[in-house]
Amino acid sequence: MTAAEILAVAAFAEGRHAQAFPSFGSERTGAPVVSYCRIDDAPIRTREPVMAPDALIVQDVTLVHQVDLFAGLSHDGYVLINTSRRFTELGFEDHFVDFDQERLLTCPATEIALEHVGRPMPNAALLGGFAAFTGQITLDAIQQAIRDRFSGVVGERNAAAAKAAFEFVTNAKEEFLHASTN
Amino acid sequence: MLRQIEGSRAIAETVALCRPEVVCAYPISPQTHIIEAIGAMVKAGTLAPCEFINVESEFAAMSVAIGASAAGARAYTATASQGLLYMIEAVYNAAGLGLPIVMTLANRAIGAPINIWNDHSDAMAVRDAGWIQLFAETNQEAADLHVQAFRLAEELSVPVMVCMDGFILTHAVERVDILDQATVDLLLPPYEPRQVLDPADPVSIGAMVGPEAFEEVRYLAHLRQLDALERIPVIAKQFAEVTGRASGGLVSSYRTEDAQTIIVALGSVLGTIKDAVDMRRDLGERVGVVGITSFRPFPGDAVREALRPATQIVVLEKAFSVGFGGVLSTDVAMSLQGEQHVLRNVVAGLGGRAITRRSLEELIATAVRGELPVLTFLDLDHEAVDRERTRMAGTRRSGPSAENLLRDRGTVGVSTSRSDS
């Protein structure tokens, strides 16, 4: 939920309308949680869950065996998965045969968080990666929203994690383009 | 100031601007974030003078609010679901005593089966307690309604419950313009109690009243609620004049001018319904929406006037009276006596089931074709219900239906048999 909230705050800072909300299951830290974020240029009235996302961020790749994570995702949707493995190494390439391959990406957000924040909290890194991946939000806005949420050194470290992931994903996109033109 | 914040946070900050002197609450999802934030403000000294009282139960929370209010303090609390039921005796007392307590109800289903998600069963369970019940469509309106609620409660000496959808609003992070202190002070004068416990001028608040006067006391409470029907629009108008924002009032209408079918609802689902109505309007269907902000007192005249353009009324509600049908729809039907509308009732969103635009669009299309039954349960899985009915018919020890339906869904393991579980 923190990630969706930070994304909504960042979008608001850029003058857009945004709505972030959770879908709680069991109320305990570590339980599987889905949260949603809508970003629009017009006011958002709907209260239904996001059932056909334009982009999906997966914080914990092991959930793929418990939940139908990719339900409703359109074939030109963005998928960003937190893992140090490549997308093609995750064992579900068959599901994504018809998808826009340029929009399927992994990012080692937990490792980036461990390096910059010192704790396995991948939210900030995933949002930095999301900014580079989709161009829907700027890294600046993400970093500012992170600093609003976490004060002092924790905010700075998370902002650094976001920047590192932003650069990782920017490079990954270039690599993909390079590979596909060759 | 316009901010992107969680609904609960917006409520906490707005309640703080209302200068409550006593806040007492017991945590229960999805209300918890509201009182946590207020508690933090009291502890930090940013909300002062105010006493935050940690109580041992919801019954104690409302009892402390009653005591504080009777002593002349502006008192606030918040709860949801089972918490509201646990305090219900005191909820009736607050109204019966005419104490202007304001309470946020973060609407949540009532068990069993235990369920933390949103519907309106809790608000409906205390419908007759004598509280004014206002329903918010958005977090902006929820925040604004709290300022209006204190004003209304204290003017009339009636407690006011601001109902906001649990999780859907309380946990949603969206735009809310939080008023400044000067504006709230302008809208909400200091509390001047009509009755107060004062050793220098002793009165008895809560005396026993026998058959000789009980009916008159109750009728006076009814008259105060009827007075609220006059005051709610006036307070909303003053609020709009000062803030430039339309919040509150008795009812709200959307695209009803030439509507043949009007959907009536309470709370946040109105937003999704408006989106669905826009889609159906684009297809040429003449449909509109009426939102009821003041559920108690029920604004029968305003509802009748708002529904006048239509031939068909579809009341969609997140609660129902088991063994009968809709609660809100009964009130709407009463206010339409003598009119010729076709009245349809839809129960939706129980226990947090998502009310989707797609389902609403199908519902509207069915209604426009004149094919909607008198009572519909939106997105009900009739096949799952039939399978459980078959199990029940097949064996006496069919077990708890709630668990059976979860197994049917595959939500819990299907391998364990009853004897080894």
Side-chain angles (χ1 to χ4, degrees), chain A residues 30-180:
Chain A
V33 168
V34 178
S35 62
Y36 311 99
C37 183
R38 286 192 174 89
I39 299 174
D40 203 333
D41 293 321
I44 299 164
R45 291 187 304 203
T46 185
R47 299 289 172 183
E48 67 178 356
V50 174
M51 283 164 299
D54 297 315
L56 180 70
I57 299 175
V58 181
Q59 293 183 324
D60 181 354
V61 73
T62 61
L63 287 176
V64 90
H65 304 294
Q66 293 183 38
V67 192
D68 186 6
L69 290 175
F70 307 116
L73 190 69
S74 70
H75 286 194
D76 58 353
Y78 290 88
V79 181
L80 180 63
I81 297 179
N82 173 23
T83 173
S84 54
R85 289 183 287 167
R86 288 173 173 273
F87 202 95
T88 49
E89 297 167 1
L90 295 175
F92 43 70
E93 308 89 83
D94 291 352
H95 183 88
F96 290 99
V97 167
D98 298 332
F99 279 63
D100 184 345
Q101 300 299 310
E102 201 183 338
R103 297 187 171 184
L104 308 173
L105 209 58
T106 61
C107 173
T110 300
E111 285 78 1
I112 291 172
L114 283 169
E115 184 188 340
H116 291 271
V117 187
R119 294 181 65 201
M121 309 294 273
N123 278 338
L126 283 168
L127 291 175
F130 177 81
F133 194 21
T134 65
Q136 283 292 318
I137 192 90
T138 64
L139 177 62
D140 276 352
I142 292 288
Q143 287 184 306
Q144 192 52 51
I146 288 170
R147 292 189 188 101
D148 287 349
R149 175 66 191 242
F150 305 106
S151 59
V153 69
V154 178
E156 289 310 319
R157 286 175 177 172
N158 275 288
K163 183 163 188 286
F166 184 91
E167 286 163 2
F168 177 91
V169 168
T170 303
N171 289 335
K173 279 172 74 176
E174 277 170 14
E175 268 177 40
F176 182 89
L177 284 175
H178 188 68
S180 41

Side-chain angles (χ1 to χ4, degrees), chain B residues 102-161:
Chain B
V102 170
M103 173 163 67
T104 309
L105 185 65
N107 296 109
R108 164 182 156 182
I110 291 173
I114 188 164
N115 175 298
I116 63 166
W117 290 269
N118 165 252
D119 70 28
H120 291 164
S121 306
D122 51 4
M124 296 302 145
V126 297
R127 177 193 65 178
D128 304 328
W131 284 59
I132 289 171
Q133 292 180 300
L134 307 175
F135 277 80
E137 180 179 338
T138 63
N139 279 330
Q140 182 68 68
E141 185 165 55
D144 294 345
L145 280 176
H146 280 81
V147 180
Q148 299 184 32
F150 278 108
R151 174 75 185 266
L152 184 66
E154 292 171 8
E155 266 190 23
L156 298 171
S157 297
V158 180
V160 179
M161 196 181 296

